[in-house]
């Protein structure tokens, strides 16, 4: 099992809010709103996505990573650690 249902519910609710914000940006563009206002809204979307990303990363560390490390299976643990480090390296480039 990857995540707890409660975690998924919280994540889905955040995704739904972000989806609403993105639709708001689309509407602003369609309505020809002021560029700075659109950019401000995009910044809010990026911030919300970052928060979701961190929440999911935290859940992964607390559940998947922790259980891999405590499983006693060194290969699985190393695989999970390498996977997350690779992701962090890619994230730091963007």
């Amino acid at each position: 099992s990857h995540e707890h249902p409660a975690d998924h519910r919280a994540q889905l609710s955040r995704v739904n809010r972000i989806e609403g914000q993105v639709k708001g940006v689309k509407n602003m563009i369609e309505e020809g709103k002021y560029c700075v206002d659109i950019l401000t809204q995009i910044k809010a979307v990026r911030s919300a996505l970052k928060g979701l990303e961190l929440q999911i990363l935290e859940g992964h560390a607390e559940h998947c990573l922790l259980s891999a490390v405590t499983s006693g299976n060194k290969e699985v643990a190393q695989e999970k650690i390498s996977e997350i480090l690779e992701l962090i390296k890619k994230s730091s480039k963007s």
Side-chain angles (χ1 to χ4, degrees):
S1 80
H2 289 282
E3 290 278 348
H4 297 304
D7 293 336
H8 280 312
R9 273 195 300 279
Q11 291 164 6
L12 283 172
S13 114
R14 284 181 94 149
V15 169
N16 288 334
R17 279 199 305 275
I18 293 166
E19 187 178 24
Q21 286 177 291
V22 172
K23 284 179 181 167
V25 170
K26 183 183 178 191
N27 291 339
M28 290 175 84
I29 292 169
E30 286 172 346
E31 293 164 14
K33 297 285 186 199
Y34 184 53
C35 294
V36 172
D37 294 338
I38 296 169
L39 290 168
T40 300
Q41 192 58 36
I42 289 171
K43 193 164 175 46
V45 171
R46 288 178 57 178
S47 174
L49 276 171
K50 194 95 185 134
L52 175 63
E53 182 182 10
L54 290 172
Q55 182 187 39
I56 292 173
L57 178 60
E58 200 175 288
H60 178 70
E62 289 173 355
H63 303 298
C64 307
L65 203 52
L66 185 62
S67 66
V69 169
T70 57
S71 71
N73 186 331
K74 200 169 180 175
E75 290 79 30
V76 170
Q78 190 57 57
E79 185 184 312
K80 293 282 182 202
I81 291 167
S82 298
E83 183 182 63
I84 203 71
L85 288 175
E86 194 56 42
L87 185 69
I88 291 167
K89 281 180 203 165
K90 284 179 187 168
S91 295
S92 66
K93 289 176 188 167
S94 59

